[in-house]
Amino acid sequence: MLRRTPRRKPRSRRRWHERAITQARDCGLLGADILGSGRRLEVKIKQGAGAFVCGEETALIHSIEGQRGMPRPRPPYPVTRGLFGRPTVINNVETMANLPGLFRMGPEAFAALGTAGSKGTKVFALSGQISRTGLVEVAMGEPLRRIVEEIGGGVPEGHVFKAVQIGGPSGGCLPGPQLDIPVDYESLKTVGAMVGSGGLVVMDERACMVDVARYFMDFIQREGCGKCIPCREGTRQLLAILDSLGRGRRREEPAGALERFQGLISLERLARVIQDSSLCGLGQSARNPVLSTLRWFRAEYEAHAYDRRCPAKVCPELLLYEIEEDLCNGCTVCARKCPAEAIVGSRKSPHHIIAEKCRGCGSCLTACPSGAIKVS
Amino acid sequence: MSIEQVLARHPGRSRDHLIPLLQELQQELGFLSRPAIRQVAEHLGLPASKVWGVATFYNQFRFQPRGRFPVVVCRGTACHVKGSAAVLAALQHELKIEPGATTRDGLFSLEVVACIGACGLAPVIAVGDDYHAGVTPQQVGRILADCRRRAAEDAPTKAAVEEALA
């Protein structure tokens, strides 16, 4: 189904923010003399230009100053030397969004929500293979299972829950048995995940965890600023190892199998070295997507590396496509759709896939009107 | 609006004007041209290489004109889990261009972004100001055909061209 959702463009969103500031100034809540108190506060919006690493505070400062958004070593911390060399306080927008509630409810009522170490509420963006998607606000310490199963309505019918990815690209993947964990800063850290951005992506049996790790490593590798070597070169190596796990025999070098085994063995150590030696949070948390999937879904990694199969049937090069002769009526649709010209057969007689030519794209599977294509 | 007019809006020469200047120029020109980069550098008294370095660091900036229908594919986590890679592959196959490129007829350009910000509607693609939610690879052909039809409708008819020439 095709739905069009009206959404504001960033340009108009910016105008909307600026209108809010003008209104506050008109009401005397901003400016030189706030409500006659003699206090002065100005609010100015600086639009980001799209760089993941600018979530790091020193990178953000560089970005506002008009430089490349690259972090610098700390100390000096921004509170002593920050924006334009002056002491700077940096807060997340979500932190600031908590303030109205905090003032309205009073500190005691606010602190009554949540756990001992994590107070208040947290907004999560629930998405992925789940019945109800959207933004949900829960008290800190709520069990993950409640968010996924009760609020989100669980995975779509006919599918099995596999994992939930929490905390964005620097977060981790948690399996079903870990769902009873309370969602707060401390508990999530113990299982290799984090609250982070508040993203919650639910996955069912159709998701391949090696593919997910590869996806995140590709993202981190592209978004890394390139300043410090452990992160720049280390994430490249991690990605190369994950790539080798999904590479089929056809594209593998003669020593590919050896590299694959070696890669899987050194994956953990490499991830830890990157964590210990990277300059900023991006590199230090780059291990999370790899180590958390490796920790909870090791069997899937081993199936890729040793058995050369992808249990979730995601990694295209590891899939074996076959045509069931009894079901094929020789309509030739698949042969015409195949981009690799790997399907042979004459009209009205069963067709056949040449395994050596097949790229595993799955075009034939979607094209076949009689469901004769089998994947394993 | 010309490059000079945008520069005139930022009389300050300090470096923190650089990114807002580039953003406003891109808004006006559709992309950052070489002359634009050079003029920004002159305006702020910076080497052009520094301006280029900043512009290429951030994902927002483009250095080629966009197509009439800029197709933006979200490659966020939720979209990935819901099959955005297949949607992107279908778009590449249909348009026969790589992400970052524009088709020869100037109708379509293909872009990949880290997240559009509508994870609940995954997988999402944006064609100009139209957002399409829950897109499947099979729908891609129809979405593009729709754009082509709209472009054909706007195109001047043969009669109109002859009339204009006469």
Side-chain angles (χ1 to χ4, degrees):
Chain A
M1 199 184 78
L2 196 71
R3 271 185 300 168
R4 284 199 183 144
T5 47
R7 272 179 56 86
R8 285 170 197 278
K9 287 167 74 183
R11 192 174 23 164
S12 54
R13 197 156 50 202
R14 184 177 176 168
R15 257 188 235 135
W16 180 62
H17 285 153
E18 270 157 12
R19 198 164 66 224
I21 292 174
T22 318
Q23 283 170 348
R25 183 167 289 124
D26 291 346
C27 298
L29 295 169
L30 283 178
D33 186 17
I34 295 169
L35 299 176
S37 64
R39 288 174 190 271
R40 179 166 181 263
L41 181 70
E42 300 287 346
V43 174
K44 208 171 162 184
I45 294 176
K46 274 279 199 176
Q47 208 185 2
F52 182 68
V53 70
C54 286
E56 203 279 341
E57 54 183 14
T58 57
L60 184 66
I61 287 172
H62 286 151
S63 172
I64 295 174
E65 288 173 347
Q67 323 238 5
R68 287 164 72 92
M70 290 166 138
R72 62 160 174 78
R74 295 171 300 175
Y77 285 91
V79 285
T80 43
R81 209 182 139 72
L83 190 62
F84 305 117
R86 308 262 177 79
T88 307
V89 176
I90 297 167
N91 274 303
N92 197 298
V93 176
E94 197 178 1
T95 310
M96 303 306 256
N98 272 313
L99 293 180
L102 187 60
F103 278 105
R104 212 174 295 136
M105 295 162 68
E108 292 81 17
F110 186 85
L113 289 167
T115 62
S118 313
K119 304 275 185 227
T121 63
K122 169 80 194 160
V123 177
F124 288 98
L126 199 53
S127 60
Q129 314 280 21
I130 191 159
S131 303
R132 286 188 289 272
T133 59
L135 298 170
V136 295
E137 184 176 9
V138 293
M140 281 280 188
E142 204 68 55
L144 199 49
R145 188 180 297 281
R146 205 183 145 237
I147 303 176
V148 173
E149 290 179 1
E150 233 172 274
I151 302 173
V155 293
E157 234 180 282
H159 294 283
V160 191
F161 176 88
K162 184 169 186 177
V164 56
Q165 206 283 340
I166 178 165
S170 306
C173 289
L174 299 177
Q178 294 297 323
L179 273 188
D180 291 308
I181 195 162
V183 178
D184 59 56
Y185 298 109
E186 301 78 23
S187 313
L188 284 177
K189 232 175 250 169
T190 61
V191 289
M194 59 193 253
V195 176
S197 63
L200 272 180
V201 184
V202 178
M203 294 174 243
D204 59 23
E205 82 289 345
R206 289 170 284 179
C208 164
M209 301 319 283
V210 176
D211 174 67
V212 168
R214 190 169 52 217
Y215 163 81
F216 281 118
M217 204 38 67
D218 179 60
F219 176 80
I220 290 169
Q221 218 272 316
R222 274 186 293 115
E223 286 294 326
C225 73
K227 180 170 178 170
C228 76
I229 297 163
C231 176
R232 185 181 70 214
E233 301 302 323
T235 54
R236 179 176 287 268
Q237 285 304 317
L238 278 182
L239 183 61
I241 293 170
L242 293 170
D243 270 338
S244 76
L245 295 180
R247 191 175 298 136
R249 287 228 166 82
R250 238 162 51 85
R251 278 208 304 131
E252 214 166 43
E253 303 278 310
L258 193 65
E259 277 168 24
R260 200 167 63 229
F261 296 164
Q262 217 172 21
L264 188 56
I265 294 165
S266 51
L267 207 53
E268 271 169 274
R269 204 175 133 237
L270 180 57
R272 284 187 208 289
V273 169
I274 297 171
Q275 183 198 8
D276 291 342
S277 49
S278 287
L279 175 61
C280 81
L282 182 93
Q284 284 159 13
S285 58
R287 65 181 202 124
N288 285 345
V290 174
L291 289 192
S292 68
T293 46
L294 194 60
R295 178 168 168 194
W296 306 113
F297 301 93
R298 184 175 276 275
E300 209 166 331
Y301 273 85
E302 287 171 352
H304 280 77
Y306 307 134
D307 308 339
R308 307 289 23 237
R309 55 183 190 87
C310 175
K313 296 178 186 167
V314 170
C315 301
E317 292 184 32
L318 299 185
L319 299 181
L320 184 65
Y321 285 84
E322 280 168 319
I323 297 177
E324 280 198 19
E325 293 196 0
D326 314 343
L327 292 173
C328 177
N329 56 17
C331 70
T332 73
V333 166
C334 58
R336 277 180 279 138
K337 286 274 179 190
C338 179
E341 296 179 359
I343 303 179
V344 291
S346 49
R347 200 168 185 83
K348 290 191 178 158
S349 63
H351 282 47
H352 179 70
I353 299 176
I354 306 165
E356 289 75 30
K357 276 191 169 182
C358 177
R359 292 183 206 157
C361 68
S363 305
C364 51
L365 186 69
T366 42
C368 182
S370 38
I373 314 266
K374 290 283 165 289
V375 199
S376 55
Chain B
M1 196 182 279
S2 69
I3 298 175
E4 287 77 18
Q5 281 169 308
V6 175
L7 293 177
R9 274 192 281 177
H10 289 263
R13 301 278 155 119
S14 57
R15 176 127 188 198
D16 55 309
H17 287 292
L18 176 55
I19 292 173
L21 257 176
L22 294 175
Q23 285 170 330
E24 285 171 35
L25 277 172
Q26 177 159 294
Q27 185 91 58
E28 294 301 330
L29 307 173
F31 71 109
L32 295 178
S33 60
R34 277 166 176 264
I37 298 265
R38 208 176 313 123
Q39 290 198 36
V40 169
E42 266 168 38
H43 181 76
L44 295 179
L46 288 168
S49 60
K50 290 276 177 195
V51 176
W52 189 250
V54 169
T56 50
F57 184 86
Y58 295 99
N59 297 327
Q60 187 185 4
F61 299 117
R62 291 182 300 271
F63 307 100
Q64 272 154 15
R66 269 178 148 186
R68 173 161 169 210
F69 298 99
V71 182
V72 177
V73 184
C74 178
R75 287 289 284 130
T77 319
C79 289
H80 177 75
V81 169
K82 295 271 234 168
S84 66
V87 174
L88 179 62
L91 279 165
Q92 279 177 255
H93 184 75
E94 286 275 338
L95 297 173
K96 299 184 178 63
I97 51 172
E98 294 292 305
T102 304
T103 52
R104 273 201 179 172
D105 56 8
L107 264 191
F108 297 100
S109 55
L110 188 58
E111 277 169 60
V112 169
V113 294
C115 185
I116 276 181
C119 304
L121 307 171
V124 182
I125 70 168
V127 183
D129 287 345
D130 291 336
Y131 287 77
H132 300 268
V135 181
T136 62
Q138 287 76 31
Q139 288 173 354
V140 161
R142 211 174 68 212
I143 293 171
L144 296 180
D146 213 40
C147 295
R148 288 201 180 99
R149 210 188 51 236
R150 265 162 57 199
E153 277 167 14
D154 297 355
T157 58
K158 202 177 166 194
V161 172
E162 278 166 2
E163 198 183 328
L165 288 173

